[in-house]
Amino acid sequence: MPVLPLNQRAALTMIKVTINGVCHEFTPGITILEATRQLGLNLPTFCNHQLLKPVASCRVCLVEIEGVPRLQPSCATLITDGMVVNTDGDRATQARQSTIKLLLANHPLDCPICDKGGECELQDTVLDHGPRVSYFEENKRVFTDKDPILNKVIIANSNRCIQCQRCVRVCDEVVGASAIGVIGRGADCIETGFDNNLNSCDHCGNCIEVCPVGALMRVEYRYKARPWDLITTDTICPHCGTGCQISAETRNKQLVRVKAKPTSAVNKELLCTKGRFGIDFVDKAPQITQPMVRKNNDLQAVSWNEALAALKENLQPLIQRGASAAGVISARMTNEVLFRFHQFINKVFASEQIYCGNDIYRHDFQPGYQHALNSLINQSYTNKPVSELFNSDCIFVLGCNIGEQNPVSEYLLRSNFTHQPFTLLLASTRQSRLDLLAKTYLRYPPGHELALLQQLILQLKNVQRVENDQPTENRDTDTQGIDGLQPVSPELKDISEKLASTSSISLLIGSDLLTGENTTATVHNLVQLIKVLQQITPDVSLQFLFQHCNGLGALDIASNWPGPTQALATSPAFPDILYVVDQELPLTKPQLMIYQGAFVNSTMEMADIVLPGFSFAETDGTFTNNEGRIQRVRPFDSTTKGGTNKIGDRINSNSAKYDAEIFSLVAHCLEQGELGSSEPQRIFDEISQQLSAYQGLDWDQLDSDLAFRNSVPAHPIKHQVSHQFSHQDGEAFVQPSPLTEKERELVSDITPESEAQDDNSQPFLLLTASSLYHSKDPIAASSQLDDIETEAWIEIHEHDASKLRVSQNEPLLVHYQTQYLDAPSSSGQSLLNKSLILPARITRRATKSTLVISGDLTKLPNDLAMSPTPTPCLASVYRE
């Protein structure tokens, strides 16, 4: 039965239901099972799950309803006013025990060796509800003697399966992969994938999470520990801006398993591949454990006193003579570290050149861009749970493949769509699985985000004028000079009509929208789009889909200080001193480089002085997720059964320090005064006092799931619109903007002359993006993710595969700047869901000619993956 959404339930009056002889009031639209859980009653169920549609197949939650002759499944029966329910009557109890007896008839009692022992729902149900005796003496059913490994992360034991089919349903209804299914009938049912493997799945492990027994298990966790052996720490996933709440479980100071926090208000027991299996980087990545100083052109380990002495010796002369300085920090750091870093660079080096590796402005620092972005966030950003965001009548995802960038957000969107369908609109450069659910999806060429927004704004205004019987010739000043946009594409027209006819809109903006050449103008047009939508309906919500776990927090912190006006790499005067925190950069080495971080990378290897900071597993503080929710990040092992341990003591041989403490040590060493307390709680108190968006927030209340940033009014943005459009054959299309001379110098087509005659050497436009399994960060050191995807690969559109005469798995060379990438290729329209390469001469639909590069992005040259120049850039592809 359908369940009413929360926004409709609130408008209804309470109804009275008698449960086990006591009358209670409930909000209408909920099931009997939900009502009993609100009362704290332990009514068992196997097939039911909060993320899935009720199927009422396990028959364990049967209850008696007065006036109804047969027992009814509580998970699929809505409450009604005056209903009288008995959950523990003789009939219901007997039926429940009979069903459990049938399950135990074939379920192997191998609990001593089963990894689910101690947290098995069947164990708990038998203990709480019986039966205590089994009357079945026949041999138990056996599917396999040896447990098959379905893929790199999942191992199965079908003998234990109780056929609740949660795994099948979560893969289909929520993840959208449909990788696992059911074969056989009755007692011979078995859940498996094609050819008894799940290699085509997302490897997210959500099927393992929802399995109530030990039928599906983790390969890496098997026979490693029991639940009572583990120390559980509730923290936040460090991979993307969704901000999933996780439980990190450790044993003997080593990470053993990561699970979704059972009571999560954000991700509701869901995790993606990176979140569930990719946090092992905290133990697997090569970590910086000692300070290092460059001596005789080699980095050598030294003590903290020696490192600080070397800092003073090298820095003081440069500071005294007025040397320029800049700071670079990752958006994966906590709010507290980001705040203290800005203060540190500003006070110690007297510099305002502070750069953050945030995905939505790492490529472009045009004049006014950061101010425009801050104003957009403060004026229009919607701070509320994504579950409420998805209750809108229309969801418009613009500028990203949400499944690659924020996978759990896609899972939640699909789950919400399954329960309560809405109008889904997509506009991006890449395909995604959500295309199958979307009413309309639009493809646009990379780099033409500004043109898309201008087209959309003009079309929405034209639709409004038609509805209001106004002549379309009357243009307002915001859209003057873009008459050449008509006629629009059918997809854009359809999107405009659907937006203009809806009562509530949620706008989800991906980072791809703000990585083009005219990002400042793009932000201005985005504000204008929101204003136009607000004329259609006042219920318009906006949230960004950040790739970094603290992308929104980094923007909030940066808004408190004057920001840079251009990209660091293209600055006319490169700084003499560069202080880098946990960020990998494709930059020329300055006169003095100081690197502070937890893991070894190429930037650290160029540094003159290296200071070891805490890793994600050791740090304490807060992240701000896409919702605007501020959440606690905790060091692993800090939540113990007997108390708390000291921060950072996971590895005794590690002399790393908390990053904010390092800033204070350096400031004191250089005699620049005190920065303030290095305790995360005290720094957060400063943030809540200085940043308007964080005012009123209390450290002790951050675990309530109700700690959201505030929307702060800002000065209005002046809209500046630029455009470049063309007409051909009566159809409007976007012409690619020519590369500037500086860009030609940075990214040139250097295909050898011998290859220039071949079609393979045609210029392409290369656009990098995140991968489902890898990213250009320490998480790339995850051994489990490496096992899933072991090598780089190329996707090429079937159009180009035919043109270039390449076949499946043929080795190709991608040539850009002075670097090569060797990788096997894959062709096929269905695979167009990752990073894009477009021919430079394309003039019509982006998907007519595309080449895609993705996979293990750690194998991409660093200057491409982290290039500060606008994308797309020129590249060539040809055979060896």
Side-chain angles (χ1 to χ4, degrees):
M1 293 184 182
V3 179
L4 292 176
L6 291 174
N7 57 351
Q8 294 183 25
R9 295 182 201 173
L12 301 175
T13 57
M14 303 292 281
I15 60 176
K16 294 183 178 180
V17 178
T18 300
I19 299 179
N20 295 343
V22 181
C23 185
H24 303 275
E25 288 190 346
F26 299 99
T27 303
I30 65 174
T31 62
I32 296 175
L33 181 63
E34 289 178 299
T36 59
R37 286 177 174 171
Q38 290 182 17
L39 299 177
L41 298 177
N42 181 21
L43 191 59
T45 180
F46 292 126
C47 66
N48 183 263
H49 192 275
Q50 61 173 333
L51 292 166
L52 306 174
K53 292 186 294 186
V55 294
S57 63
C58 72
R59 319 305 285 183
V60 180
C61 66
L62 294 175
V63 295
E64 302 174 28
I65 302 177
E66 189 176 278
V68 180
R70 293 185 178 87
L71 298 175
Q72 297 298 311
S74 62
C75 65
T77 307
L78 296 177
I79 60 173
T80 59
D81 194 24
M83 177 182 281
V84 178
V85 179
N86 189 358
T87 67
D88 55 4
D90 291 339
R91 291 174 59 211
T93 300
Q94 184 178 358
R96 190 173 301 133
Q97 291 187 359
S98 297
T99 302
I100 297 174
K101 284 179 184 178
L102 289 172
L103 291 176
L104 293 177
N106 276 315
H107 191 87
L109 300 179
D110 58 352
C111 304
I113 63 168
C114 177
D115 283 319
K116 201 73 173 182
E119 52 189 7
C120 173
E121 293 182 33
L122 181 60
Q123 268 187 349
D124 295 340
T125 301
V126 173
L127 181 64
D128 293 338
H129 301 278
R132 294 291 185 267
V133 179
S134 175
Y135 299 100
F136 296 97
E137 298 179 355
E138 293 81 4
N139 292 330
K140 294 180 182 290
R141 172 200 62 194
V142 177
F143 284 110
T144 56
D145 294 327
K146 185 177 181 181
D147 298 344
I149 297 178
L150 300 183
N151 60 22
K152 299 289 186 179
V153 296
I154 302 174
I155 189 169
N157 186 322
S158 299
N159 302 326
R160 301 171 185 160
C161 180
I162 61 173
Q163 299 172 11
C164 67
Q165 296 189 20
R166 281 192 197 174
C167 56
V168 177
R169 290 150 57 209
V170 77
C171 189
D172 182 44
E173 296 176 19
V174 180
V175 178
S178 301
I180 189 170
V182 180
I183 59 174
R185 296 175 64 89
D188 295 326
C189 273
I190 182 172
E191 281 75 19
T192 186
F194 180 75
D195 197 23
N196 204 32
N197 71 68
L198 298 179
N199 291 330
S200 62
C201 81
D202 281 8
H203 301 80
C204 64
N206 287 304
C207 54
I208 302 173
E209 188 87 36
V210 300
C211 181
V213 292
L216 295 175
M217 300 162 290
R218 304 164 185 249
V219 171
E220 95 290 348
Y221 178 69
R222 202 174 192 206
Y223 306 140
K224 289 287 181 66
R226 287 298 194 183
W228 50 84
D229 296 329
L230 303 177
I231 297 175
T232 301
T233 303
D234 291 336
T235 185
I236 308 302
C237 177
H239 289 308
C240 77
T242 300
C244 295
Q245 298 175 354
I246 63 174
S247 295
E249 298 179 332
T250 57
R251 185 184 187 191
N252 298 328
K253 304 297 182 181
Q254 295 292 312
L255 180 66
V256 176
R257 181 174 65 171
V258 173
K259 298 177 63 179
K261 184 179 177 182
T263 57
S264 171
V266 179
N267 47 304
K268 302 184 186 302
E269 295 188 63
L270 293 171
L271 287 178
C272 70
T273 310
K274 291 178 184 176
R276 193 179 307 279
F277 302 110
I279 300 184
D280 62 334
F281 74 89
V282 298
D283 292 326
K284 302 297 175 59
Q287 195 162 355
I288 307 170
T289 59
Q290 298 290 329
M292 290 182 280
V293 174
R294 188 168 295 279
K295 299 178 181 179
N296 300 323
N297 206 31
D298 289 325
L299 285 173
Q300 299 180 14
V302 297
S303 66
W304 271 101
N305 289 336
E306 291 177 277
L308 293 174
L311 265 174
K312 185 174 182 179
E313 180 183 349
N314 287 276
L315 275 176
Q316 272 195 337
L318 292 174
I319 293 175
Q320 289 173 359
R321 75 163 189 255
S324 60
V328 182
I329 189 168
S330 169
R332 297 188 186 277
M333 306 303 287
T334 63
N335 288 317
E336 293 70 28
V337 172
L338 286 163
F339 181 86
R340 194 61 89 214
F341 180 73
H342 280 74
Q343 184 186 40
F344 167 69
I345 296 296
N346 197 256
K347 181 176 182 179
V348 173
F349 299 102
S351 172
E352 295 178 352
Q353 297 302 301
I354 305 171
Y355 304 85
C356 185
N358 202 328
D359 50 301
I360 70 168
Y361 64 93
R362 67 183 183 186
H363 293 291
D364 196 339
F365 288 98
Q366 298 172 1
Y369 173 62
Q370 187 161 315
H371 170 71
L373 193 58
N374 290 337
S375 298
L376 170 65
I377 296 291
N378 290 331
Q379 287 184 48
S380 306
Y381 207 85
T382 305
N383 302 302
K384 67 179 182 182
V386 71
S387 56
E388 294 182 22
L389 210 67
F390 292 157
N391 280 331
S392 296
D393 294 330
C394 179
I395 310 292
F396 186 17
V397 182
L398 178 59
C400 77
N401 179 339
I402 185 174
E404 295 283 328
Q405 194 162 303
N406 295 81
V408 174
S409 293
E410 182 197 341
Y411 301 162
L412 294 170
L413 188 150
R414 181 179 286 101
S415 175
N416 207 76
F417 183 89
T418 301
H419 287 86
Q420 191 72 25
F422 47 77
T423 300
L424 177 62
L425 306 175
L426 304 175
S428 67
T429 59
R430 296 171 283 166
Q431 282 187 332
S432 73
R433 278 202 300 251
L434 286 178
D435 291 351
L436 299 175
L437 301 183
K439 291 289 185 182
T440 305
Y441 60 86
L442 171 69
R443 297 283 173 267
Y444 62 87
H448 302 110
E449 293 77 14
L450 173 60
L452 171 68
L453 289 176
Q454 291 171 334
Q455 286 179 318
L456 184 58
I457 291 169
L458 180 60
Q459 183 62 18
L460 281 170
K461 290 188 175 183
N462 287 342
V463 172
Q464 285 182 287
R465 291 188 182 99
V466 171
E467 291 178 351
N468 297 329
D469 296 325
Q470 295 179 3
T472 57
E473 291 79 11
N474 297 331
R475 313 279 190 199
D476 28 44
T477 56
D478 289 324
T479 55
Q480 283 183 353
I482 52 177
D483 293 351
L485 286 174
Q486 297 295 328
V488 297
S489 67
E491 294 87 357
L492 186 63
K493 184 177 180 181
D494 197 35
I495 287 176
S496 303
E497 291 174 351
K498 286 182 171 59
L499 288 172
S501 61
T502 190
S503 58
S504 58
I505 301 170
S506 291
L507 191 59
L508 301 179
I509 305 297
S511 59
D512 292 354
L513 195 73
L514 298 175
T515 55
E517 203 174 355
N518 302 303
T519 48
T520 304
T522 302
V523 174
H524 294 325
N525 278 266
L526 188 55
V527 175
Q528 179 63 19
L529 173 63
I530 294 169
K531 289 185 176 181
V532 173
L533 293 176
Q534 287 174 339
Q535 294 174 5
I536 297 171
T537 172
D539 191 356
V540 177
S541 301
L542 167 74
Q543 284 187 7
F544 278 100
L545 297 168
F546 291 94
Q547 293 186 44
H548 288 75
C549 57
N550 200 22
L552 183 56
L555 278 182
D556 289 333
I557 301 300
S559 67
N560 205 39
W561 278 272
T565 58
Q566 58 186 339
L568 181 61
T570 58
S571 175
F574 197 76
D576 301 311
I577 305 168
L578 189 60
Y579 199 111
V580 184
V581 178
D582 201 42
Q583 181 72 52
E584 197 161 7
L585 298 171
L587 300 175
T588 305
K589 185 178 178 299
Q591 186 173 347
L592 180 66
M593 178 186 285
I594 303 157
Y595 182 84
Q596 176 179 322
F599 299 105
V600 175
N601 59 35
S602 59
T603 303
M604 180 225 77
E605 292 169 350
M606 291 193 305
D608 299 292
I609 299 172
V610 178
L611 305 176
F614 276 179
S615 72
F616 165 72
E618 298 165 304
T619 197
D620 194 359
T622 60
F623 288 159
T624 305
N625 75 344
N626 295 341
E627 302 171 319
R629 191 194 304 260
I630 295 90
Q631 303 184 98
R632 280 290 309 278
V633 182
R634 293 181 175 84
F636 293 3
D637 307 329
S638 63
T639 307
T640 66
K641 297 175 182 177
T644 59
N645 69 332
K646 184 180 178 182
I647 295 175
D649 70 349
R650 291 185 70 240
I651 304 173
N652 295 329
S653 61
N654 192 343
S655 64
K657 296 181 182 295
Y658 179 52
D659 291 274
E661 181 184 354
I662 297 176
F663 301 148
S664 294
L665 287 173
V666 174
H668 185 266
C669 164
L670 297 174
E671 301 175 358
Q672 296 294 324
E674 299 295 330
L675 295 179
S677 174
S678 296
E679 295 183 23
Q681 181 174 353
R682 300 290 174 257
I683 302 175
F684 184 82
D685 291 340
E686 293 182 43
I687 294 174
S688 63
Q689 293 171 9
Q690 295 189 30
L691 270 67
S692 301
Y694 291 71
Q695 284 183 358
L697 294 174
D698 185 80
W699 177 269
D700 295 328
Q701 297 176 347
L702 296 182
D703 288 329
S704 66
D705 288 323
L706 300 175
F708 286 85
R709 62 190 293 280
N710 307 306
S711 296
V712 184
H715 298 293
I717 301 173
K718 295 181 180 179
H719 304 290
Q720 301 172 352
V721 180
S722 63
H723 59 276
Q724 181 179 0
F725 298 97
S726 181
H727 249 311
Q728 182 172 320
D729 299 333
E731 181 182 358
F733 62 92
V734 184
Q735 281 279 21
S737 302
L739 296 177
T740 64
E741 289 303 315
K742 191 169 190 84
E743 288 165 354
R744 288 185 186 277
E745 193 175 313
L746 286 172
V747 187
S748 58
D749 182 9
I750 53 176
T751 305
E753 291 185 9
S754 60
E755 294 286 340
Q757 304 300 323
D758 193 22
D759 283 343
N760 293 7
S761 65
Q762 61 176 312
F764 286 83
L765 290 180
L766 177 70
L767 180 70
T768 60
S770 63
S771 164
L772 185 61
Y773 303 117
H774 294 283
S775 66
K776 194 62 180 176
D777 284 290
I779 60 173
S782 166
S783 60
Q784 292 185 65
L785 296 183
D786 280 340
D787 286 342
I788 295 173
E789 191 169 75
T790 58
E791 57 184 4
W793 48 278
I794 299 168
E795 289 181 15
I796 185 170
H797 191 274
E798 57 188 356
H799 226 34
D800 286 328
S802 174
K803 225 188 252 188
L804 303 179
R805 303 184 298 280
V806 296
S807 58
Q808 186 81 4
N809 297 324
E810 179 180 351
L812 296 177
L813 290 176
V814 176
H815 203 176
Y816 43 88
Q817 293 187 322
T818 58
Q819 303 285 347
Y820 287 91
L821 175 70
D822 297 289
S825 67
S826 301
S827 61
Q829 175 76 20
S830 62
L831 294 178
L832 287 174
N833 58 1
K834 293 183 169 65
S835 314
L836 296 179
I837 302 174
L838 299 172
R841 61 176 178 272
I842 187 170
T843 56
R844 290 187 180 276
R845 302 287 179 84
T847 52
K848 287 289 184 66
S849 183
T850 60
L851 177 68
V852 185
I853 182 170
S854 187
D856 185 352
L857 295 189
T858 60
K859 297 185 179 181
L860 292 177
N862 191 40
D863 55 354
L864 173 68
M866 297 297 295
S867 173
T869 59
T871 55
C873 61
L874 284 178
S876 299
V877 55
Y878 48 89
R879 291 183 178 85
E880 295 183 84

